[in-house]
Amino acid sequence: MKLSTKGRYGVAAMYDLALHYGQGAISLKSVAQRQGISEHYLEQLMGTLRKAGYVKSVRGAQGGYSLTKEPAQISVGDIIRIMEGPIAPVDCLLSDDASRTFCSRVNICVTRGVWAKVRDSITSVLDSITLADLCNEEKGQGDE
């Protein structure tokens, strides 16, 4: 399973906003510079995150974006699912409803259980890490 730049940059942008949580709106330009992301691409990513209710935008000279929730309430898994869609290493795991299967072998597949365990492990890890955790890791590294 490979994440696209949407997922990776989405997490990086949200992490940047989390680092500046409580400081008001943060300009896209500053996030783009700090994270090494194209400002135009970042604008598209923020649109997706805004529609999902995770960031809000402020217009004007002091405008920018800010988180709508505390960093501890947003997991990396939340962001990945918003940016990438469902977490599934194979298509047959995209639906639990047997009538909406993507493979005719779903009921007799020997390896489907393996892929379900992989999905569950990935989901567990991504959901266990919050933006606050990432910020605390960064602060811990800066103290050394």
Side-chain angles (χ1 to χ4, degrees), residues 2 7 15 36 38 68-69 71 90-92 100 112 132 136-137 140-142:
K2 189 173 181 180
Y15 161 74
S38 148
T68 59
K69 303 176 185 181
V90 292
D91 286 346
C92 67
R100 288 190 56 231
R112 188 171 191 266
N136 291 336
E137 281 182 27
Q141 289 177 355

Side-chain angles (χ1 to χ4, degrees), residues 35-126:
Q35 297 303 318
I37 303 170
S38 148
E39 196 172 339
H40 178 69
Y41 191 42
L42 188 56
E43 199 170 325
Q44 294 173 23
L45 301 180
M46 287 300 184
T48 301
L49 291 162
R50 186 178 48 75
K51 286 177 192 158
Y54 281 76
V55 298
K56 62 183 175 185
S57 60
V58 177
R59 294 182 178 268
Q62 301 300 313
Y65 288 84
S66 61
L67 300 178
T68 59
K69 303 176 185 181
E70 292 183 20
Q73 295 177 319
I74 302 171
S75 75
V76 172
D78 294 332
I79 301 164
I80 295 296
R81 279 186 288 276
I82 290 164
M83 304 310 293
E84 301 277 356
I87 297 166
V90 292
D91 286 346
C92 67
L93 296 175
L94 291 174
S95 177
D96 290 331
D97 179 359
S99 67
R100 288 190 56 231
T101 60
F102 293 91
C103 175
S104 61
R105 299 178 39 82
V106 73
N107 293 323
I108 59 168
C109 182
V110 173
T111 60
R112 188 171 191 266
V114 172
W115 308 133
K117 287 178 184 177
V118 169
R119 176 205 54 206
D120 294 346
S121 295
I122 292 170
T123 300
S124 177
V125 170
L126 294 177

Side-chain angles (χ1 to χ4, degrees), residues 2-51:
K2 189 173 181 180
L3 294 175
S4 73
T5 56
K6 282 195 318 190
R8 295 192 323 267
Y9 290 176
V11 171
M14 292 290 282
Y15 161 74
D16 197 286
L17 294 181
L19 279 176
H20 300 93
Y21 184 72
Q23 298 175 15
I26 308 300
S27 75
L28 269 185
K29 185 175 187 169
S30 63
V31 174
Q33 288 175 338
R34 283 190 296 266
Q35 297 303 318
I37 303 170
S38 148
E39 196 172 339
H40 178 69
Y41 191 42
L42 188 56
E43 199 170 325
Q44 294 173 23
L45 301 180
M46 287 300 184
T48 301
L49 291 162
R50 186 178 48 75
K51 286 177 192 158

